Amino acid sequence: HGFGEYDRAYRRRQTAGLVNAAWRFVGVSPAVKQYLLDCRCGFTEQNTVAITNAIDLVQAEALQLSREQSRAELGLSSDVRLIGALGRLVPVKGHVYLVQAFACLATKHPSAQLAIIGAGREEKRLQQEI
């Protein structure tokens, strides 16, 4: 469902050879749908749709904590400059690069802190990098 899945010519040829009128495709965002269409290997406006992650925004907003409550939950002081990421801890998300970039930034901005919230197979690698 991500970008780059069809960058290789053999993947596009394989897809073009397999797709028939019964096939349907879903991009997890309008941008992913457009990427699929741009591959020109069987993805069309008729067989490809975009959906966003199924998030109930009203419920999500109701569950959010205030800035002060969030910082208290994370153990952060109110004067900290917070940089963060929320999501699955998988290689494609690039959290390791965020950690590396933050290491450079932290020396210039000692009041900055990095918060990464999530779970996944990259968790141990990120802890080692930190």
Side-chain angles (χ1 to χ4, degrees):
H1 78 267
F3 296 106
E5 295 292 322
Y6 297 92
D7 286 354
R8 294 186 175 151
Y10 83 90
R11 292 288 305 267
R12 291 190 304 274
R13 280 192 310 272
Q14 183 181 40
T15 302
L18 293 172
V19 173
N20 65 44
W23 286 45
R24 298 294 180 266
F25 303 92
V26 176
V28 296
S29 70
V32 171
K33 175 187 175 185
Q34 190 59 54
Y35 164 76
L36 294 172
L37 294 174
D38 291 346
C39 289
R40 301 191 191 292
C41 61
F43 305 110
T44 66
E45 286 288 345
Q46 292 72 37
N47 69 9
T48 308
V49 298
I51 61 167
T52 55
N53 293 331
I55 298 174
D56 181 337
L57 293 178
V58 173
Q59 180 186 26
E61 289 174 353
L63 294 172
Q64 287 181 358
L65 301 176
S66 70
R67 181 178 192 267
E68 294 77 22
Q69 291 170 316
S70 297
R71 286 174 177 255
E73 286 284 324
L74 294 170
L76 301 170
S77 78
S78 61
D79 62 342
V80 164
R81 172 70 66 168
L82 184 62
I83 298 170
L86 170 69
R88 291 178 300 126
L89 304 181
V90 293
V92 71
K93 300 285 186 175
H95 291 97
V96 69
Y97 304 115
L98 175 61
V99 171
Q100 292 167 352
F102 184 78
C104 298
L105 176 80
T107 57
K108 293 180 182 178
H109 302 279
S111 68
Q113 290 190 14
L114 177 62
I116 299 176
I117 301 170
R121 65 180 189 262
E122 283 287 280
E123 188 171 351
K124 287 185 182 183
R125 179 179 178 208
L126 291 171
Q127 289 172 346
Q128 290 170 345
E129 187 70 30
I130 291 166

